[in-house]
Amino acid sequence: MTFKEQVVALLNNSLLEKPSVFLIDISISDAYKIVITLDGDTGVNLQDCIDIARAIENNLDREEQDYALEVASVGVGTPLKMTRQYIKNIGRTLIVKTNSDSIEAELIAADDSKIILSWEAREPKKIGKGKETVKKSQEIPYTDIKQAIVTVNFN
């Protein structure tokens, strides 16, 4: 078993003990720097990161292979990558970039193939002069999303 396979197996075993936490990314450099990025259905706390790091460190031998290990949660402003992340962020405002445009709107639904966004826009009245506020929504398949980021609201 290669070093990388060993790390991935240890990581997967430790994630089984924390079903609400899931892997976003893992990278192992040529210099054996391991970087693991996690997210969770209800967020990731410091103890989750410590537990995952310990589960890996306690089962690897530094005498056999010296390495550096970093376990962290996704940061604010990190693009969403997985369906599970979209589902956990229903009700929050996203900035979604597609090939044709960029939309800032509330995520109202997400499933295995698409998301649905909802927002209000000012448009010319159908009859008469002036503008009116119109509620809009749009279904966007994951395949059309170039990038989606949760916005931070300080209100």
Side-chain angles (χ1 to χ4, degrees):
M1 182 181 285
T2 67
F3 181 75
K4 183 173 184 169
E5 290 170 341
Q6 195 176 4
V7 171
V8 170
L10 291 169
L11 174 61
N12 289 334
N13 287 339
S14 61
L15 287 173
L16 289 174
E17 296 173 22
K18 295 184 171 290
S20 68
V21 176
F22 52 95
L23 178 67
I24 296 298
D25 191 35
I26 181 171
S27 66
I28 302 176
S29 72
D30 291 340
Y32 296 100
K33 180 178 181 187
I34 307 163
V35 179
I36 297 171
T37 308
L38 304 171
D39 201 350
D41 296 325
T42 56
V44 177
N45 61 38
L46 180 60
Q47 192 60 50
D48 293 329
C49 294
I50 291 169
D51 293 344
I52 299 291
R54 282 187 181 151
I56 293 169
E57 285 179 335
N58 291 342
N59 292 293
L60 289 177
D61 185 5
R62 283 193 191 270
E63 297 296 322
E64 189 177 305
Q65 179 60 62
D66 193 27
Y67 62 90
L69 176 62
E70 180 181 314
V71 179
S73 62
V74 292
V76 173
T78 303
L80 304 179
K81 292 183 177 182
M82 302 175 70
T83 302
R84 200 164 165 181
Q85 288 180 291
Y86 286 94
I87 292 169
K88 95 171 206 174
N89 284 297
I90 289 173
R92 297 184 75 186
T93 302
L94 303 182
I95 298 173
V96 178
K97 294 179 183 174
T98 64
N99 289 330
S100 56
D101 59 358
S102 179
I103 303 167
E104 183 170 346
E106 180 184 354
L107 176 64
I108 59 170
D111 62 25
D112 290 336
S113 61
K114 67 185 178 315
I115 63 171
I116 300 174
L117 299 175
S118 175
W119 70 97
E120 291 182 349
R122 298 283 291 161
E123 293 186 347
K125 290 183 178 179
K126 292 179 174 93
I127 300 173
K129 294 182 179 181
K131 292 186 175 190
E132 62 185 346
T133 302
V134 179
K135 190 115 173 117
K136 298 184 132 207
S137 70
Q138 183 175 346
E139 219 174 79
I140 305 173
Y142 292 119
T143 54
D144 291 354
I145 298 173
K146 288 176 73 175
Q147 185 181 56
I149 298 174
V150 177
T151 63
V152 179
N153 188 350
F154 292 103
N155 293 338

